[in-house]
Structure formats: structure tokens, C-alpha cells
Amino acid sequence: MTLYKQILAFVICLFAGLLIIAYAVQFQSTRDYLAEQQRISVINTANSVGLALTPYLETGDKVGAESVINAAFDGGYYQKIHLDLLASKQTIEKTNQTDIEGVPHWFTQLNLFKSESYETVLTSGWLQLGRLEVKGHPGDAYFQFWRAMSNLFWAYISCFIVVSILIVAALRILLRPLESIRRQAVEIEKHHFNQSIPLPKTLELRQVVQSINALTIKLAKQFKEEAVAADLLRERAFRDAVSGLGNRAYFIGQINAWIAEHGTGGVMLIAVDALDDIYRHDGYSARDKMVKQIANVLNTKLAVYEGGSVARISATEYAVLLPGLSSDELLEAANILNDAIANLIVNPLDTDSAFSVIGIAVRNKDEDLSALLTKADSALRRARNERLGAVTIEQADTADILGRLAWKDIILNSLEHDQFDFRVQPVTMLSGQNNLPAELFSGIKYQGQRFSAAQFMSAVEMFKLGEKLDRYVLEQSLVILKDNPDLSLSINLTIGSISSSSFHSFLKEFFVTNNLFISRIALEIPENAILQHKESVKNLNGLCAEFKVMWGIDQFGRHFQSLEYLTEFTPAYVKVDQGYMSVITKDENAQSVLAAVCRTAHNAGAVTIVTRVEDQKQVELITQLFVDGYQGIVQPAREI
């Protein structure tokens, strides 16, 4: 029970107790007063009637005596007036047997009042004339007592309700700073340091809030410093200092991850040998300037290709990974890059020739890194031998089976005819607990073969089918959850869905109508969604917070933007980019970078998961790198 509820319960109970005691005291005093009033009234009536009767009794006038008794009986509220005439042995008696009106029957059964009676002997000198008895009726006392206590009861109830409302309001106002302190403590525990608490007017709490705010600022500064340190370490290990692109180690990591996912597409090696001429004639400064311009051109032209990576792998060479593209699409992209690079220099001969050459290698199925790069290098040598601006390609052993237009038809047909195939891969926590959902992998069964999402996602993003696909997967996840009551799932969202307001509306309705299952669903968004569609991710974050749906970041640390964005968002977990795992066993610097990246996520309150863990040796290695859990070949995805 919260402190607010405890204080509220105590104050209200105390106030109710005081009202009950006051009511009891008033009840007893009023009862005693009315009983005494009844007794005095009976005595007074007996005395006055006795004085009035004496003259008639002395003369033996019974009629006169009876008229006196009738007048007294009718003028008051008595149960009985009885007169014994001693001389004539006669009696005169008036009685009232009517029920008490205006008072509940149960109330009269409480026997709160008894009938008061008084008896006196009427005399004339030493002569006894008669015996008079007057017995009062308790009905009037009950009536007055009931009315007084009823009015008092409702007055106390009204007072209790009004005062209780005032107490509730007052406690809310007085304890509001304490509630803010509690919320801030929870946020600090989750490593969220985004805001300070307004200073309250209460002196004691004011000092506490000042201390908490100072602590929050200090922790936020500490987190920022660690994030900056992790960014610097990451840049030194994986980023080319001149171009700002990834370096060879970064590219090797990305291409290894792509190969591990059985990705299709190809690799380009771009040689700009003119950079050496620029260096010899104009020096370092001019060459570095041209290197940056080429990097900007590559980033701009390749932005349209989802999932691509670009790196500077030597002083004059660049490497590009373009997943999911066919041979024709790779050739088209290479020519676009060649033309764009050529536009960076002024050609004194005004010819159309470019000053770069490109060699392309289309990946064969099951082709490893070494074979692929050898093939790309061979294509580059042939391009150099031909002429500047040449683009040569080393085709795959088997011709490209499917282009992206073909993939579009296959995806739409699979959505329409439920030809998707789903598998799940659990997250293994190093602590032994199992508190994160298994990841749901989508695939398509086409002509007896299963294609993974990595093979068709580029077509999904290109033809803006992400929202349609994600809606389908969410609906299918409900079927899987119903069939597997012990299972919880994490579902990857596409960039197209994350940036779509109509998908956000669908997602809200999905959460409302399936509230029994949303506690077993987590959403995963790729890191580049935060970098490209920050406001949309904020909306998604708010939606998940409203319905208490877990969400996480996939491909965490792939891009070179600062990790400080973790202070703004509140992901439950992050899945570190696969590129790190492909190089940490061979590169100690990569281990340090992975540890720094995971520590930064830890300090932001997120659980850290590494993916593509291949063997027990890697499992033992990540236990020293601030990692909470892992996924990978050691626990492969299973059909469901």
C-alpha cells in the first residue's frame, strides 16, 4: 500500500471514529434529556391535576372531577390517568393505547424510553379524598429523539463526505512532490536521466529534491561521457578518419553478417587511382578533400538501397555491399556511382570518361568471404585493364534467379495465399533466466524452396510492402501464440511501417483488440529507423508505453551516429549488430568496442543481446563484455 493510501486511510478512519464518538455522546445526552423531561412533565401534570380535582372531591362532584381529568388528558400526551375516589369507591380512568407514529418500528423496539408514572394521594386536611396516578406516553420522546438523531446522522454523513474529499485533495497536493520523487527514483533505477523534478515548497522535501536533481544531472553527465567514449572507441576501430565511412574491419564485419544470413546481392570494389595523382600534385589536403567528397557521393547515391554498407578499405579504394540486388541492378548502381564520382573533378579534355573503375562480384550460394572478395578483386583488375570508367562484373555460377520485380509478385502472392513460413529462435540469458521473447523469423516457401527474409526484404522496402507484410505477420503471430501458450514473440518491424501513421493507427487498434496477447509480444525496430524517422519512433515508443508493450532496437551500433539517443528512448533491450560478433574472436579492439557499446546500453537501462553467436567459445568470450544474453547458431531457429 502506498504512503498516500496509508495516510488517507488513517486520517479518514480517525475522523470517522471521532464522528462516531461524538454521535454516541450526543445520542446518550439527548436520550437522558428527553427521559428527564418526560418524568418532570408527568410529575407536574399529577400535581396540577390534583390541585384542580380537590374542590370537586370535597363536594363529591364526580362529573366535575371527570371533566378536569378529561381536560388534562386531552391537553397532554399521556398513556394513562387514573383516579380512585376513596369516599365512593369509584374510579375514573383515561387511557391512550395508540401506536407511536413517525418512528420506525425497529427503533421503538430498542426500549430507549420507559413510560414514566407518578402517583399521589389527594387530601383535604387529614381526610384522604382520592389516589391519582399519571403515566406518561413515551411516543413523544421517541418521535423527538428519532428526528433529532436522524438529522444529526445525516449531518455527520454529509460532513464526513465533504471532509473526506477535502482530505483526499489536500493529501494529493501535499504528497505530490513525494510522488515526483518516487517516479524520479524509478527512472534513475532504469537509467533514464531526461528530466529534473520541480522544487516543492515544503522545506524538507525541497532539500531532498535538490539532491535528487543533482544526482540525476551527475548520472546523465556520466552516461554522456561513457557514450562519447564508446563512440570514440567505435570510430577508432571501425571508421576511416578521413572519409567518415567504415574501414576495412567494419566492412568485413558487415559482409560476414550478410553471408551468415545467406544474403543475395553483390559486392563492389571501387578504385579511384586519381587520388594518388591528386596527392602527388596538390598534397594531403587536396586528396583528403576529394576523399570526403567521394564519401558524400557514395552515401547519397547508396541511400536508396536498403541495408547497404559502404567503406573505405585503402587509400584509393572503396567497397560497397548491396544486398538483394540482381546483376543488372548492380551494374546500374555501379554506373551511377561512376558518373557521380566523375562529376567531382573538372575534366580538362572534356571527355565522358570517369576517373574511377568498379569491379562487381555477384555472390554464389554458400560462397564465403575469401572467395567473394577474390572474385571482386579479379573484376576490379579487369576493369583497370580496360579503361577509366569501366565497370566489370563477375557473375554468379548460376544466373540470377529472381529480380526484385519477381520478388514483388512472389511476396504479394504469398501474402494472399498464406505461403509464409515462420520459425522462432529463443534468446538465451547468461543469468539463466528466460525473460525475453523468442524472435520470429519470416520466410517464403516458393517452388519447394524456403527463402529467408534477408533475401526478399530489399524488395519489400523498395516496393513499400513493409506495412502490408508487418500487418500480416502480426496477425499470424496471434495464431502462433494461441497454439503455444508458453511462448512469447518479438516481431521485427520494417522501416515502411515505422514511418507510417496508418500503421500506428492499426497497431493501436491491434493492441486494444488483442489485449490478452500483447503482454507476450515485443516489437523490434532497426537502429536506422531511429536515425531516419525519429519522430515516428517517438510515437511508437509512446504507443508501446501506453499499452505496456515491450520493444527493442535491432542492429544496435551498426551506424556511426552517437549512442546518446538511448537517453531519449526507453527500449527494454538492444540486439547488437551482427558485425561485431564476426570479428571479436580475431580482433581484441573489437572486443573492447563491443564491451563499450554494451556498457553504454547497460547504463541506459537496456538489456544487451548479441546475435550470431556460433560456438561455446564465443559464449565464454561475451560473458566478459557486459552482455546479458545471446542468439545464434548455438541455438538455431526452429520451425513452428
Side-chain angles (χ1 to χ4, degrees):
M1 183 183 288
T2 63
L3 178 63
Y4 164 76
K5 290 182 179 178
Q6 291 182 43
I7 295 177
L8 181 64
F10 175 75
V11 173
I12 288 182
C13 287
L14 182 63
F15 182 64
L18 291 174
L19 287 182
I20 291 172
I21 292 172
Y23 188 83
V25 170
Q26 188 66 28
F27 185 93
Q28 188 61 39
S29 63
T30 303
R31 177 189 174 189
D32 293 344
Y33 171 77
L34 291 175
E36 182 65 17
Q37 284 293 104
Q38 183 189 12
R39 190 179 70 82
I40 293 172
S41 175
V42 168
I43 293 173
N44 290 339
T45 301
N47 290 333
S48 60
V49 171
L51 290 173
L53 285 173
T54 300
Y56 295 102
L57 295 180
E58 287 175 343
T59 59
D61 186 356
K62 180 183 178 183
V63 175
E66 190 169 359
S67 61
V68 170
I69 290 175
N70 286 338
F73 190 79
D74 294 338
Y77 194 48
Y78 306 101
Q79 191 171 11
K80 183 176 72 175
I81 298 179
H82 179 88
L83 175 64
D84 290 327
L85 301 174
L86 299 179
S88 60
K89 305 296 183 181
Q90 293 180 326
T91 62
I92 300 173
E93 183 175 280
K94 297 291 291 183
T95 59
N96 181 6
Q97 300 298 333
T98 57
D99 295 332
I100 302 172
E101 296 179 354
V103 180
H105 179 69
W106 63 266
F107 192 70
T108 60
Q109 296 302 307
L110 297 178
N111 293 323
L112 299 172
F113 298 100
K114 62 179 182 181
S115 299
E116 296 288 347
S117 63
Y118 185 76
E119 185 175 319
T120 184
V121 177
L122 305 179
T123 60
S124 176
W126 293 102
L127 180 62
Q128 292 185 347
L129 301 176
R131 184 177 294 106
L132 178 64
E133 179 188 5
V134 177
K135 189 175 184 179
H137 199 293
D140 186 55
Y142 272 111
F143 179 77
Q144 294 186 42
F145 189 60
W146 169 254
R147 189 175 61 178
M149 288 297 101
S150 297
N151 292 338
L152 186 64
F153 176 80
W154 290 117
Y156 277 15
I157 290 295
S158 301
C159 179
F160 178 78
I161 293 173
V162 171
V163 173
S164 296
I165 293 172
L166 293 176
I167 290 172
V168 169
L171 282 178
R172 285 186 183 278
I173 294 173
L174 292 174
L175 295 180
R176 188 176 297 162
L178 203 58
E179 175 63 15
S180 299
I181 292 172
R182 185 192 68 79
R183 290 179 181 174
Q184 186 71 345
V186 173
E187 292 297 310
I188 291 175
E189 185 182 7
K190 294 179 179 177
H191 302 261
H192 301 156
F193 318 115
N194 292 330
Q195 59 184 6
S196 299
I197 312 173
L199 290 177
K201 295 180 180 178
T202 309
L203 182 61
E204 296 83 352
L205 294 178
R206 189 181 185 87
Q207 192 167 5
V208 174
V209 169
Q210 284 176 335
S211 300
I212 290 179
N213 284 342
L215 176 64
T216 304
I217 294 172
K218 185 177 180 180
L219 291 174
K221 184 179 179 183
Q222 183 178 346
F223 172 80
K224 187 175 181 179
E225 290 173 351
E226 291 183 355
V228 170
D231 292 340
L232 288 175
L233 198 59
R234 193 161 48 120
E235 289 187 2
R236 287 174 185 169
F238 295 118
R239 195 171 197 177
D240 178 67
V242 178
S243 64
L245 300 174
N247 58 18
R248 179 180 287 273
Y250 169 79
F251 189 72
I252 294 298
Q254 295 301 312
I255 202 170
N256 273 331
W258 169 63
I259 291 174
E261 291 181 343
H262 308 290
T264 59
V267 174
M268 293 183 191
L269 294 181
I270 305 171
V272 189
D273 296 332
L275 288 172
D276 283 336
D277 299 332
I278 295 173
Y279 166 63
R280 282 193 294 272
H281 290 97
D282 302 320
Y284 275 112
S285 177
R287 190 196 66 175
D288 291 350
K289 184 178 178 181
M290 181 55 68
V291 167
K292 290 178 183 174
Q293 289 178 343
I294 293 173
N296 290 335
V297 164
L298 293 177
N299 280 329
T300 303
K301 297 298 181 183
L302 295 173
V304 296
Y305 299 102
E306 187 65 29
S309 300
V310 58
R312 185 187 180 212
I313 57 176
S314 72
T316 60
E317 290 184 352
Y318 299 83
V320 177
L321 169 65
L322 291 174
L325 268 63
S326 64
S327 298
D328 292 339
E329 291 167 336
L330 287 168
L331 280 170
E332 181 185 357
N335 286 315
I336 291 173
L337 295 178
N338 246 352
D339 293 341
I341 295 172
N343 290 333
L344 293 176
I345 64 170
V346 177
N347 188 338
L349 300 178
D350 196 22
T351 63
D352 292 335
S353 62
F355 78 133
S356 61
V357 292
I358 298 178
I360 305 171
V362 183
R363 182 172 180 258
N364 283 316
K365 186 180 180 182
D366 299 330
E367 196 168 39
D368 62 9
L369 173 65
S370 176
L372 186 63
L373 291 183
T374 300
K375 199 162 68 174
D377 193 55
S378 174
L380 184 63
R381 282 199 304 275
R382 283 199 295 115
R384 272 199 176 101
N385 292 334
E386 291 182 7
R387 57 183 174 80
L388 288 177
V391 175
T392 62
I393 186 167
E394 288 284 340
Q395 296 285 359
D397 294 340
T398 55
D400 294 324
I401 299 174
L402 298 170
R404 285 198 275 187
L405 281 174
W407 269 121
K408 179 184 178 183
D409 294 336
I410 293 172
I411 294 166
L412 290 174
N413 187 63
S414 300
L415 288 171
E416 185 177 353
H417 297 96
D418 288 330
Q419 293 178 339
F420 273 84
D421 175 64
F422 295 100
R423 297 182 179 183
V424 294
Q425 185 178 46
V427 176
T428 304
M429 303 301 292
L430 294 175
S431 63
Q433 300 175 342
N434 188 18
N435 55 0
L436 283 185
E439 186 169 357
L440 183 67
F441 291 102
S442 304
I444 292 178
K445 286 186 175 178
Y446 176 71
Q447 294 183 348
Q449 187 177 356
R450 186 184 188 277
F451 295 92
S452 67
Q455 294 171 282
F456 59 80
M457 284 309 296
S458 59
V460 169
E461 294 291 358
M462 169 170 278
F463 296 109
K464 302 187 184 306
L465 300 175
E467 183 174 348
K468 184 175 288 188
L469 174 62
D470 287 341
R471 290 188 183 208
Y472 175 81
V473 173
L474 281 168
E475 296 292 345
Q476 292 300 310
S477 69
L478 294 177
V479 179
I480 297 173
L481 291 174
K482 287 176 183 175
D483 295 338
N484 301 271
D486 298 329
L487 185 66
S488 57
L489 295 174
S490 63
I491 298 167
N492 290 281
L493 298 183
T494 61
I495 296 288
S497 298
I498 295 168
S499 58
S500 169
S501 57
S502 60
F503 181 76
H504 289 199
S505 301
F506 161 80
L507 200 58
K508 185 173 185 178
E509 186 178 349
F510 178 84
F511 289 160
V512 171
T513 54
N514 300 288
N515 58 346
L516 295 177
F517 295 97
I518 59 176
S519 62
R520 296 165 57 197
I521 290 178
L523 302 179
E524 286 186 19
I525 64 172
E527 186 184 53
N528 60 343
I530 296 176
L531 307 177
Q532 297 172 6
H533 305 284
K534 194 171 184 178
E535 291 303 317
S536 296
V537 175
K538 279 185 179 177
N539 292 336
L540 194 62
N541 184 17
L543 197 60
C544 290
E546 180 182 352
F547 290 94
K548 302 184 186 306
V549 175
M550 183 187 293
W551 73 281
I553 298 175
D554 196 15
Q555 302 170 353
F556 178 66
R558 169 174 291 189
H559 304 276
F560 289 109
Q561 280 77 4
S562 174
L563 301 179
E564 286 185 51
Y565 68 78
L566 287 176
T567 60
E568 190 172 355
F569 299 96
T570 55
Y573 62 90
V574 296
K575 290 187 175 177
V576 181
D577 187 59
Q578 297 180 7
Y580 292 97
M581 283 307 299
S582 64
V583 295
I584 63 167
T585 53
K586 302 174 183 177
D587 187 350
E588 291 188 358
N589 288 334
Q591 296 177 20
S592 302
V593 174
L594 179 58
V597 168
C598 291
R599 185 168 57 243
T600 302
H602 253 288
N603 291 338
V607 175
T608 55
I609 306 298
V610 293
T611 54
R612 208 64 201 174
V613 177
E614 297 181 352
D615 49 39
Q616 191 60 34
K617 183 181 177 182
Q618 288 189 342
V619 173
E620 294 173 0
L621 182 60
I622 62 174
T623 58
Q624 308 164 19
L625 303 178
F626 297 95
V627 173
D628 296 308
Y630 62 89
Q631 288 178 279
I633 299 174
V634 289
Q635 261 194 319
R638 62 179 172 85
E639 294 183 4
I640 191 165

